[in-house]
Amino acid sequence: MSVTKTLYDTMPDGREVFLYTMENNNGVSAGVLTRGATLNSLVCPDKNGEMGDIIVGFDDLSGHLNTTTYAGEIIGQYANRLADGRFTVGKTEYNVTKNENSVTCLHGGGEYNSALWKAIITDDNAVEFAYRSPDGAEGFPGNVDITVKYVLTDRNELEIHYAAVSDRDTILNFTNHAYFNLGTTKNGDVLGHMLQINADCYTPTDERSIPTGELRPVEGTAFDFREWKSIGRDIGQEDLQLRQCRGYDHNFCLNGEKGKLRLAAAAKDEQSGRRLEVYTDLPGIQLYTGNFLDGTEIGKGGIALQKHFGFCLETQFYPDTPNHPDFPQCTFKAGERFESLTIFKV
Ligand code: BGC
Protein backbone atom coordinates (compact mmCIF):
# COMPACT_ATOMS: atom_id res chain seq x y z
CA MET A 1 0.00 0.00 0.00
CA SER A 2 1.20 3.51 -0.62
CA VAL A 3 0.28 7.17 -0.47
CA THR A 4 1.90 9.72 -2.74
CA LYS A 5 1.62 13.48 -2.64
CA THR A 6 2.00 15.55 -5.80
CA LEU A 7 1.51 19.20 -6.62
CA TYR A 8 -1.73 19.28 -8.65
CA ASP A 9 -1.85 22.96 -9.60
CA THR A 10 -1.95 26.45 -8.14
CA MET A 11 -5.04 28.51 -7.42
CA PRO A 12 -5.47 31.83 -9.27
CA ASP A 13 -4.19 33.51 -6.06
CA GLY A 14 -1.05 31.36 -6.07
CA ARG A 15 -1.93 28.91 -3.30
CA GLU A 16 -0.88 25.35 -4.06
CA VAL A 17 -3.33 22.49 -4.47
CA PHE A 18 -2.02 19.00 -3.75
CA LEU A 19 -3.21 15.60 -4.89
CA TYR A 20 -2.88 12.63 -2.53
CA THR A 21 -3.12 9.23 -4.16
CA MET A 22 -3.66 6.08 -2.11
CA GLU A 23 -3.07 2.74 -3.78
CA ASN A 24 -3.83 -0.65 -2.27
CA ASN A 25 -2.29 -4.06 -2.96
CA ASN A 26 -4.92 -4.83 -5.61
CA GLY A 27 -3.93 -1.84 -7.70
CA VAL A 28 -7.09 0.06 -6.75
CA SER A 29 -6.37 3.74 -6.16
CA ALA A 30 -8.14 6.82 -4.83
CA GLY A 31 -7.01 10.39 -5.46
CA VAL A 32 -8.06 13.27 -3.22
CA LEU A 33 -7.39 16.99 -3.74
CA THR A 34 -6.75 19.47 -0.94
CA ARG A 35 -9.20 21.85 -2.62
CA GLY A 36 -12.57 20.85 -1.17
CA ALA A 37 -11.01 17.59 0.12
CA THR A 38 -12.38 16.43 -3.23
CA LEU A 39 -12.49 12.78 -4.23
CA ASN A 40 -10.89 13.20 -7.64
CA SER A 41 -10.62 9.57 -8.77
CA LEU A 42 -11.37 6.00 -7.79
CA VAL A 43 -9.70 3.61 -10.17
CA CYS A 44 -10.76 -0.04 -10.12
CA PRO A 45 -10.88 -3.01 -12.50
CA ASP A 46 -13.76 -4.05 -14.73
CA LYS A 47 -14.69 -7.70 -15.32
CA ASN A 48 -11.74 -8.07 -17.71
CA GLY A 49 -9.30 -6.56 -15.28
CA GLU A 50 -9.12 -3.28 -17.16
CA MET A 51 -8.69 -0.33 -14.83
CA GLY A 52 -11.12 2.59 -15.09
CA ASP A 53 -11.92 5.71 -13.12
CA ILE A 54 -15.50 5.58 -11.82
CA ILE A 55 -15.55 9.12 -10.42
CA VAL A 56 -17.12 11.69 -12.70
CA GLY A 57 -15.00 14.81 -12.56
CA PHE A 58 -12.36 16.85 -14.28
CA ASP A 59 -8.87 16.60 -15.67
CA ASP A 60 -7.62 19.85 -14.21
CA LEU A 61 -8.08 22.44 -11.50
CA SER A 62 -9.99 24.86 -13.70
CA GLY A 63 -12.63 22.16 -14.20
CA HIS A 64 -12.99 21.89 -10.43
CA LEU A 65 -13.00 25.65 -9.89
CA ASN A 66 -15.63 26.37 -12.52
CA THR A 67 -18.06 23.54 -11.91
CA THR A 68 -21.46 23.99 -10.31
CA THR A 69 -21.83 20.24 -9.76
CA TYR A 70 -19.97 19.90 -6.40
CA ALA A 71 -18.35 16.85 -8.02
CA GLY A 72 -16.46 14.79 -5.43
CA GLU A 73 -16.35 17.65 -2.94
CA ILE A 74 -16.84 17.54 0.82
CA ILE A 75 -19.93 19.57 1.65
CA GLY A 76 -20.56 21.45 4.89
CA GLN A 77 -21.66 22.98 7.16
CA TYR A 78 -25.04 21.77 6.09
CA ALA A 79 -25.16 19.38 3.13
CA ASN A 80 -28.34 19.64 1.05
CA ARG A 81 -30.99 22.32 1.56
CA LEU A 82 -32.28 24.64 4.28
CA ALA A 83 -35.63 26.30 3.57
CA ASP A 84 -35.37 30.09 3.35
CA GLY A 85 -31.76 29.70 4.54
CA ARG A 86 -33.13 29.77 8.05
CA PHE A 87 -33.02 27.62 11.18
CA THR A 88 -33.09 27.96 14.95
CA VAL A 89 -30.64 26.64 17.50
CA GLY A 90 -31.81 27.05 21.07
CA LYS A 91 -33.52 30.43 21.04
CA THR A 92 -31.43 31.96 18.29
CA GLU A 93 -32.57 32.17 14.71
CA TYR A 94 -29.86 32.09 12.06
CA ASN A 95 -30.09 33.29 8.48
CA VAL A 96 -27.50 31.75 6.21
CA THR A 97 -26.53 32.29 2.58
CA LYS A 98 -29.36 31.64 0.15
CA ASN A 99 -27.22 30.59 -2.78
CA GLU A 100 -29.96 28.76 -4.65
CA ASN A 101 -32.28 31.15 -6.49
CA SER A 102 -32.01 33.42 -3.41
CA VAL A 103 -34.56 31.07 -1.84
CA THR A 104 -32.72 28.16 -0.23
CA CYS A 105 -29.31 27.45 1.19
CA LEU A 106 -27.76 24.64 -0.85
CA HIS A 107 -24.72 22.76 0.41
CA GLY A 108 -23.90 25.29 3.09
CA GLY A 109 -23.43 28.13 0.63
CA GLY A 110 -20.33 26.56 -0.89
CA GLU A 111 -17.77 27.27 1.81
CA TYR A 112 -16.27 23.90 2.80
CA ASN A 113 -16.18 22.51 -0.72
CA SER A 114 -14.22 25.43 -2.10
CA ALA A 115 -11.77 25.76 0.80
CA LEU A 116 -8.19 24.56 0.70
CA TRP A 117 -7.81 21.87 3.36
CA LYS A 118 -4.61 20.92 5.17
CA ALA A 119 -3.59 17.33 4.68
CA ILE A 120 -1.41 14.86 6.52
CA ILE A 121 -0.57 11.30 5.61
CA THR A 122 -1.53 9.34 8.72
CA ASP A 123 -0.70 5.82 7.50
CA ASP A 124 0.46 3.99 4.38
CA ASN A 125 -3.19 3.89 3.25
CA ALA A 126 -4.68 7.02 4.85
CA VAL A 127 -4.76 10.79 4.48
CA GLU A 128 -6.49 13.16 6.87
CA PHE A 129 -7.80 16.51 5.65
CA ALA A 130 -8.50 19.31 8.10
CA TYR A 131 -10.32 22.63 7.87
CA ARG A 132 -11.45 25.29 10.32
CA SER A 133 -14.64 27.07 9.37
CA PRO A 134 -14.73 30.44 11.08
CA ASP A 135 -17.69 31.41 13.24
CA GLY A 136 -20.31 33.12 11.09
CA ALA A 137 -19.02 31.86 7.73
CA GLU A 138 -22.02 31.81 5.35
CA GLY A 139 -24.03 32.71 8.48
CA PHE A 140 -23.49 29.42 10.34
CA PRO A 141 -22.66 29.60 14.05
CA GLY A 142 -19.44 28.28 15.52
CA ASN A 143 -15.79 27.92 14.74
CA VAL A 144 -15.95 24.39 13.40
CA ASP A 145 -12.87 22.20 13.31
CA ILE A 146 -13.44 19.34 10.94
CA THR A 147 -11.29 16.44 9.81
CA VAL A 148 -12.12 14.11 6.97
CA LYS A 149 -9.92 11.06 6.80
CA TYR A 150 -9.86 8.91 3.67
CA VAL A 151 -8.60 5.34 4.13
CA LEU A 152 -8.25 2.82 1.29
CA THR A 153 -8.16 -0.78 2.48
CA ASP A 154 -7.14 -3.99 0.74
CA ARG A 155 -10.81 -5.00 0.81
CA ASN A 156 -11.27 -2.22 -1.77
CA GLU A 157 -13.13 -0.03 0.70
CA LEU A 158 -12.70 3.70 0.59
CA GLU A 159 -13.58 4.79 4.11
CA ILE A 160 -14.47 8.43 4.74
CA HIS A 161 -14.27 9.30 8.43
CA TYR A 162 -15.81 12.62 9.45
CA ALA A 163 -15.12 14.25 12.83
CA ALA A 164 -16.06 17.79 13.80
CA VAL A 165 -16.47 19.97 16.84
CA SER A 166 -17.84 23.50 17.15
CA ASP A 167 -17.27 26.04 19.91
CA ARG A 168 -20.93 27.14 19.72
CA ASP A 169 -24.15 25.19 19.54
CA THR A 170 -24.73 24.60 15.85
CA ILE A 171 -26.00 22.30 13.11
CA LEU A 172 -23.62 19.89 11.39
CA ASN A 173 -24.30 17.80 8.30
CA PHE A 174 -21.48 16.72 6.02
CA THR A 175 -21.31 14.60 2.92
CA ASN A 176 -19.18 13.72 -0.06
CA HIS A 177 -20.76 14.72 -3.36
CA ALA A 178 -19.07 12.17 -5.66
CA TYR A 179 -20.79 11.27 -8.91
CA PHE A 180 -20.21 7.67 -9.93
CA ASN A 181 -20.29 6.09 -13.34
CA LEU A 182 -19.28 2.44 -13.02
CA GLY A 183 -18.81 2.14 -16.77
CA THR A 184 -16.83 5.44 -16.81
CA THR A 185 -18.24 8.41 -18.72
CA LYS A 186 -16.76 7.01 -21.95
CA ASN A 187 -19.71 4.64 -21.98
CA GLY A 188 -22.41 7.26 -21.54
CA ASP A 189 -25.14 7.64 -18.95
CA VAL A 190 -25.93 5.55 -15.88
CA LEU A 191 -29.59 4.77 -16.63
CA GLY A 192 -28.71 1.13 -17.26
CA HIS A 193 -26.93 0.71 -13.93
CA MET A 194 -28.72 -1.48 -11.42
CA LEU A 195 -29.40 0.09 -8.05
CA GLN A 196 -30.59 -1.06 -4.69
CA ILE A 197 -31.38 1.24 -1.71
CA ASN A 198 -32.29 -0.08 1.71
CA ALA A 199 -35.07 2.38 2.41
CA ASP A 200 -38.78 1.82 2.96
CA CYS A 201 -39.54 5.57 2.83
CA TYR A 202 -38.30 8.74 1.23
CA THR A 203 -38.88 12.44 1.79
CA PRO A 204 -40.96 13.97 -1.02
CA THR A 205 -40.23 17.62 -1.71
CA ASP A 206 -41.99 20.77 -2.80
CA GLU A 207 -41.08 22.87 -5.85
CA ARG A 208 -38.04 24.24 -3.97
CA SER A 209 -36.77 20.70 -3.30
CA ILE A 210 -37.54 21.17 0.39
CA PRO A 211 -39.08 18.14 2.15
CA THR A 212 -42.79 18.52 2.80
CA GLY A 213 -42.31 16.66 6.08
CA GLU A 214 -44.00 13.50 4.87
CA LEU A 215 -42.11 10.20 5.07
CA ARG A 216 -43.68 8.51 2.07
CA PRO A 217 -43.49 4.73 1.67
CA VAL A 218 -41.62 3.74 -1.49
CA GLU A 219 -43.95 0.77 -1.94
CA GLY A 220 -45.67 0.91 -5.29
CA THR A 221 -43.78 4.02 -6.44
CA ALA A 222 -40.84 4.76 -8.73
CA PHE A 223 -38.81 5.24 -5.54
CA ASP A 224 -38.87 1.58 -4.60
CA PHE A 225 -35.27 0.41 -4.92
CA ARG A 226 -35.55 -2.25 -2.23
CA GLU A 227 -35.00 -4.88 -4.92
CA TRP A 228 -32.50 -4.36 -7.71
CA LYS A 229 -33.81 -2.34 -10.60
CA SER A 230 -32.16 -0.11 -13.16
CA ILE A 231 -31.89 3.60 -12.42
CA GLY A 232 -33.66 4.30 -15.68
CA ARG A 233 -36.55 1.84 -15.36
CA ASP A 234 -39.02 4.19 -13.68
CA ILE A 235 -37.23 7.54 -14.00
CA GLY A 236 -39.61 8.69 -16.73
CA GLN A 237 -42.75 7.69 -14.86
CA GLU A 238 -45.50 10.29 -14.60
CA ASP A 239 -44.81 11.27 -11.01
CA LEU A 240 -44.82 14.85 -9.75
CA GLN A 241 -41.73 14.17 -7.65
CA LEU A 242 -39.71 12.99 -10.64
CA ARG A 243 -41.04 15.73 -12.88
CA GLN A 244 -40.18 18.52 -10.44
CA CYS A 245 -36.59 17.34 -10.11
CA ARG A 246 -36.12 16.05 -13.70
CA GLY A 247 -35.28 12.65 -12.25
CA TYR A 248 -34.24 11.38 -8.83
CA ASP A 249 -32.98 14.08 -6.47
CA HIS A 250 -34.41 12.81 -3.20
CA ASN A 251 -33.49 11.75 0.27
CA PHE A 252 -34.17 8.14 1.21
CA CYS A 253 -34.79 7.33 4.88
CA LEU A 254 -32.43 4.45 5.48
CA ASN A 255 -33.65 1.35 7.24
CA GLY A 256 -31.75 0.18 10.27
CA GLU A 257 -30.49 2.01 13.26
CA LYS A 258 -29.01 5.47 12.87
CA GLY A 259 -25.54 5.53 14.41
CA LYS A 260 -24.82 1.97 13.27
CA LEU A 261 -22.82 1.33 10.15
CA ARG A 262 -24.97 -0.58 7.67
CA LEU A 263 -25.32 -1.23 3.96
CA ALA A 264 -27.30 1.70 2.61
CA ALA A 265 -27.15 1.20 -1.14
CA ALA A 266 -25.47 -0.79 -3.86
CA ALA A 267 -25.04 -0.34 -7.58
CA LYS A 268 -23.80 -2.56 -10.37
CA ASP A 269 -23.15 -2.10 -14.03
CA GLU A 270 -23.54 -5.35 -15.87
CA GLN A 271 -21.62 -4.15 -18.92
CA SER A 272 -18.39 -3.37 -17.07
CA GLY A 273 -19.02 -5.79 -14.22
CA ARG A 274 -18.13 -3.09 -11.67
CA ARG A 275 -20.03 -2.80 -8.42
CA LEU A 276 -20.30 -0.25 -5.65
CA GLU A 277 -21.56 -0.66 -2.11
CA VAL A 278 -22.26 2.30 0.15
CA TYR A 279 -22.26 1.94 3.92
CA THR A 280 -23.12 4.68 6.41
CA ASP A 281 -24.14 5.29 10.00
CA LEU A 282 -26.24 8.33 9.01
CA PRO A 283 -30.05 8.30 8.73
CA GLY A 284 -30.39 9.32 5.07
CA ILE A 285 -28.97 9.15 1.58
CA GLN A 286 -29.66 11.48 -1.35
CA LEU A 287 -29.97 9.77 -4.70
CA TYR A 288 -29.20 12.39 -7.32
CA THR A 289 -29.09 11.21 -10.91
CA GLY A 290 -27.20 14.12 -12.45
CA ASN A 291 -30.44 15.68 -13.72
CA PHE A 292 -28.96 19.14 -14.17
CA LEU A 293 -25.88 18.04 -16.08
CA ASP A 294 -26.49 19.46 -19.54
CA GLY A 295 -23.31 18.93 -21.51
CA THR A 296 -21.93 22.43 -20.89
CA GLU A 297 -19.23 21.21 -18.50
CA ILE A 298 -16.40 19.20 -20.00
CA GLY A 299 -15.27 16.33 -17.82
CA LYS A 300 -12.39 13.86 -17.82
CA GLY A 301 -11.03 12.87 -21.21
CA GLY A 302 -12.75 15.84 -22.86
CA ILE A 303 -16.16 14.19 -22.51
CA ALA A 304 -19.09 16.59 -22.08
CA LEU A 305 -21.05 15.81 -18.92
CA GLN A 306 -24.53 15.11 -20.18
CA LYS A 307 -27.71 14.51 -18.24
CA HIS A 308 -27.53 11.32 -16.13
CA PHE A 309 -23.80 10.77 -16.82
CA GLY A 310 -23.33 10.06 -13.11
CA PHE A 311 -25.27 9.27 -9.96
CA CYS A 312 -24.62 10.47 -6.41
CA LEU A 313 -25.38 8.63 -3.20
CA GLU A 314 -24.87 11.38 -0.63
CA THR A 315 -24.98 10.04 2.91
CA GLN A 316 -26.51 12.65 5.20
CA PHE A 317 -29.09 13.83 7.70
CA TYR A 318 -32.38 14.51 5.92
CA PRO A 319 -32.61 17.81 4.02
CA ASP A 320 -33.87 20.79 6.04
CA THR A 321 -33.72 18.74 9.24
CA PRO A 322 -33.54 21.70 11.68
CA ASN A 323 -36.95 22.85 10.41
CA HIS A 324 -38.53 19.41 10.88
CA PRO A 325 -38.54 18.44 14.56
CA ASP A 326 -39.74 14.92 13.63
CA PHE A 327 -36.63 14.17 11.57
CA PRO A 328 -33.52 12.72 13.27
CA GLN A 329 -31.79 15.88 14.48
CA CYS A 330 -28.32 17.18 13.73
CA THR A 331 -27.91 19.96 16.29
CA PHE A 332 -24.68 19.69 18.26
CA LYS A 333 -23.76 21.40 21.50
CA ALA A 334 -20.60 23.45 21.78
CA GLY A 335 -17.77 20.99 22.35
CA GLU A 336 -19.88 17.97 21.38
CA ARG A 337 -18.12 15.79 18.84
CA PHE A 338 -19.73 14.85 15.54
CA GLU A 339 -18.42 11.57 14.14
CA SER A 340 -19.57 9.63 11.14
CA LEU A 341 -18.32 7.02 8.69
CA THR A 342 -19.22 6.41 5.06
CA ILE A 343 -17.67 3.60 3.02
CA PHE A 344 -17.60 3.27 -0.74
CA LYS A 345 -16.62 -0.33 -1.51
CA VAL A 346 -15.79 -1.33 -5.07
C1 BGC B 1 -28.75 18.39 -5.14
C2 BGC B 1 -29.12 18.75 -6.55
C3 BGC B 1 -28.06 19.64 -7.11
C4 BGC B 1 -26.74 18.91 -7.02
C5 BGC B 1 -25.56 19.65 -7.58
C6 BGC B 1 -27.44 17.67 -5.17
O1 BGC B 1 -27.07 17.28 -3.90
O2 BGC B 1 -29.74 17.64 -4.51
O3 BGC B 1 -30.37 19.37 -6.62
O4 BGC B 1 -28.34 20.01 -8.43
O5 BGC B 1 -26.49 18.57 -5.70
O6 BGC B 1 -25.55 20.94 -7.28
Side-chain angles (χ1 to χ4, degrees):
M1 297 214 254
S2 65
V3 184
T4 53
K5 173 187 177 184
T6 51
L7 178 63
Y8 185 67
D9 206 341
T10 48
M11 297 285 283
D13 64 8
R15 288 178 300 161
E16 293 176 319
V17 176
F18 292 95
L19 169 65
Y20 287 80
T21 307
M22 291 157 263
E23 186 169 337
N24 72 10
N25 289 322
N26 310 318
V28 170
S29 71
V32 185
L33 297 172
T34 50
R35 197 260 178 189
T38 297
L39 179 59
N40 187 51
S41 63
L42 184 54
V43 176
C44 58
D46 69 6
K47 61 186 173 196
N48 302 316
E50 199 180 312
M51 294 308 231
D53 185 356
I54 62 169
I55 299 298
V56 180
F58 305 97
D59 280 331
D60 55 27
L61 184 61
S62 75
H64 288 284
L65 295 182
N66 293 317
T67 185
T68 56
T69 61
Y70 298 86
E73 297 166 0
I74 294 292
I75 311 292
Q77 184 159 317
Y78 195 88
N80 216 307
R81 295 181 171 84
L82 291 164
D84 304 317
R86 191 182 303 144
F87 60 91
T88 302
V89 176
K91 291 197 167 57
T92 314
E93 183 182 284
Y94 293 95
N95 286 280
V96 295
T97 306
K98 291 190 272 195
N99 58 325
E100 192 180 37
N101 306 321
S102 308
V103 173
T104 46
C105 177
L106 176 64
H107 298 327
E111 178 204 356
Y112 286 61
N113 56 292
S114 49
L116 288 196
W117 295 53
K118 293 204 172 76
I120 39 169
I121 297 172
T122 55
D123 212 331
D124 64 357
N125 66 341
V127 187
E128 184 174 277
F129 294 82
Y131 173 63
R132 165 168 270 219
S133 166
D135 186 22
E138 307 292 345
F140 287 90
N143 290 297
V144 177
D145 285 301
I146 175 171
T147 57
V148 174
K149 185 163 79 171
Y150 288 87
V151 182
L152 181 64
T153 72
D154 276 337
R155 292 179 301 278
N156 295 348
E157 297 158 329
L158 181 64
E159 302 175 347
I160 310 180
H161 298 260
Y162 299 82
V165 68
S166 165
D167 60 0
R168 292 176 63 192
D169 296 0
T170 195
I171 56 170
L172 300 173
N173 185 23
F174 307 107
T175 198
N176 179 287
H177 205 300
Y179 293 65
F180 295 93
N181 186 325
L182 302 180
T184 79
T185 47
K186 273 188 243 154
N187 290 304
D189 68 44
V190 296
L191 296 178
H193 283 42
M194 302 297 285
L195 182 65
Q196 204 248 314
I197 303 178
N198 291 325
D200 293 339
C201 297
Y202 77 106
T203 49
T205 53
D206 64 15
E207 64 293 343
R208 303 165 300 168
S209 287
I210 295 292
T212 58
E214 180 190 351
L215 305 185
R216 186 176 293 173
V218 296
E219 177 94 52
T221 75
F223 291 80
D224 193 347
F225 282 97
R226 291 173 300 174
E227 304 288 337
W228 288 108
K229 73 171 176 186
S230 72
I231 292 178
R233 196 187 83 179
D234 297 333
I235 203 170
Q237 251 186 31
E238 184 40 45
D239 176 316
L240 176 65
Q241 288 297 317
L242 292 169
R243 184 151 31 92
Q244 269 179 175
C245 299
R246 306 190 200 177
Y248 296 100
D249 192 0
H250 293 81
N251 170 70
F252 288 73
C253 310
L254 292 172
N255 297 340
E257 212 177 310
K258 160 184 161 259
K260 281 220 175 100
L261 191 69
R262 61 222 189 280
L263 180 66
K268 59 186 178 186
D269 167 39
E270 260 133 45
Q271 239 177 332
S272 66
R274 292 198 188 87
R275 299 174 67 106
L276 172 74
E277 288 176 0
V278 182
Y279 297 80
T280 185
D281 49 18
L282 289 170
I285 200 165
Q286 181 92 359
L287 169 63
Y288 172 55
T289 47
N291 314 332
F292 297 102
L293 301 176
D294 61 3
T296 52
E297 293 195 20
I298 305 301
K300 290 172 181 172
I303 297 169
L305 301 180
Q306 306 286 357
K307 192 173 184 187
H308 307 317
F309 262 39
F311 65 96
C312 304
L313 289 166
E314 305 157 50
T315 56
Q316 59 179 9
F317 285 91
Y318 303 172
D320 200 32
T321 281
N323 298 312
H324 296 270
D326 297 344
F327 289 177
Q329 292 301 297
C330 60
T331 303
F332 288 77
K333 291 266 170 221
E336 188 187 347
R337 193 171 155 86
F338 170 105
E339 272 188 63
S340 178
L341 173 61
T342 289
I343 300 177
F344 295 131
K345 183 179 192 318
V346 291

